[in-house]
Amino acid sequence: GIRLAPKEKVEIPVLFMPAEMKIYKIQVVIHVMRENGENWPYEVTAESDTDLFRNVTVAENGETRGILWIYPIHGTPEGPQQKSVVIRCQARQRLEQSVELLLMGVMPAETALPDAGNSAMGNTEESSNTPEVTDGSSATLEFLYELQYQSDEIRSQLDSSVGMQLLQKEWDTESRIVTLIFNVVFAPSKPMRNKATLVVQCTAGGLWKFPLVFIATEPEVDDVINIVAVGLNKESIVGFKLTSQTR
């Protein structure tokens, strides 16, 4: 019963309050009819485009009674805010560290809606190559993950110095907690302090974000240069070579 004047806009509120960590799918359908109740003269016939049948309602005489706009909506629940994981290494050194992350409220894949895999993250820089998580039944869990950065500048600093690989997955079916163990390699070339976010998505539904802080401390002193004075008000010169790490 909403009346709209020409060029007028209407906002359609959509509330999402998930009860479980799984994919939710709905359709918002807008049905528009003329205010005076008349039909549009266009007739939908058997030869008409098949998509047209889905987008119009037809009166008994074959004329167009109403026009439909259909908007599919996929809802992905997101886990609660997690504490930051700090990874610290001295510049020009290499750190290899195991990081254990807990995913709360994971649903078995068999309880997810059909085509759940379609809403998984695309173009991930890092993805799962290890066997699926299983509890001994037919239900399996697959995860996708990627590192996200706040800016391109931070990405350029961390891309070449950070590597992540998913090593192990463990699923406690009673508590519905999945434990993911990542191997993190951090090899900074200079001192820095940057933040990144590890985003983990389950193909059965659910999104978890883990803040990471990468800290590279000052490197060790390369060498000590001693300059011996040859006399007062006289110059002493010492030469040494520097090698660039990049082009």
Side-chain angles (χ1 to χ4, degrees):
I2 301 175
R3 288 180 169 82
L4 287 180
K7 303 292 185 179
E8 188 177 356
K9 297 180 180 179
V10 62
E11 292 186 357
I12 302 174
V14 177
L15 175 65
F16 181 45
M17 190 170 61
E20 296 177 331
M21 296 293 283
K22 64 180 182 181
I23 296 174
Y24 293 82
K25 296 182 180 181
I26 65 168
Q27 287 184 335
V28 175
V29 181
I30 314 299
H31 188 203
V32 177
M33 296 180 292
R34 285 184 170 180
E35 186 178 17
N36 58 12
E38 296 181 358
N39 299 329
W40 281 279
Y42 186 86
E43 293 186 4
V44 180
T45 64
E47 291 77 20
S48 300
D49 191 342
T50 54
D51 290 337
L52 191 59
F53 289 100
R54 193 173 69 98
N55 296 326
V56 298
T57 54
V58 182
E60 293 182 358
N61 60 0
E63 293 182 340
T64 301
R65 174 67 174 167
I67 303 175
L68 299 175
W69 280 268
I70 303 174
Y71 298 91
I73 296 179
H74 294 181
T76 301
E78 184 173 325
Q81 181 68 32
Q82 304 291 328
K83 293 183 179 180
S84 297
V85 177
V86 179
I87 300 173
R88 187 188 302 269
C89 178
Q90 191 177 29
R92 299 208 299 268
Q93 299 294 323
R94 185 180 185 274
L95 172 71
E96 191 165 347
Q97 176 179 331
S98 294
V99 175
E100 184 177 289
L101 303 177
L102 301 181
L103 309 184
M104 306 293 184
V106 178
M107 296 295 295
E110 61 186 9
T111 64
L113 295 180
D115 301 326
N118 293 339
S119 65
M121 264 183 286
N123 299 325
T124 54
E125 295 179 3
E126 305 284 348
S127 60
S128 169
N129 294 319
T130 56
E132 299 170 328
V133 177
T134 177
D135 65 343
S137 66
S138 59
T140 57
L141 292 174
E142 275 295 328
F143 294 92
L144 301 173
Y145 60 95
E146 67 172 345
L147 274 177
Q148 295 181 353
Y149 308 97
Q150 296 177 344
S151 66
D152 291 338
E153 181 181 357
I154 295 179
R155 176 186 295 274
S156 64
Q157 294 181 13
L158 291 180
D159 256 354
S160 59
S161 58
V162 175
M164 296 194 69
Q165 182 182 8
L166 182 57
L167 296 180
Q168 187 177 350
K169 315 172 193 177
E170 297 178 358
W171 183 19
D172 187 336
T173 54
E174 293 184 2
S175 63
R176 294 199 306 186
I177 296 177
V178 171
T179 302
L180 300 182
I181 300 178
F182 287 87
N183 182 53
V184 181
V185 176
F186 185 33
S189 60
K190 61 182 180 179
M192 68 172 73
R193 183 187 178 93
N194 288 321
K195 296 181 180 180
T197 302
L198 177 63
V199 180
V200 180
Q201 183 168 358
C202 180
T203 54
L207 190 72
W208 294 264
K209 294 182 179 180
F210 299 91
L212 304 178
V213 181
F214 293 94
I215 300 176
T217 58
E218 291 290 336
E220 295 181 358
V221 175
D222 292 297
D223 201 355
V224 177
I225 300 173
N226 295 315
I227 304 178
V228 180
V230 295
L232 294 177
N233 299 319
K234 293 183 179 180
E235 291 183 352
S236 295
I237 298 176
V238 173
F240 57 93
K241 295 181 179 181
L242 296 179
T243 303
S244 174
Q245 298 296 321
T246 66
R247 292 186 179 274

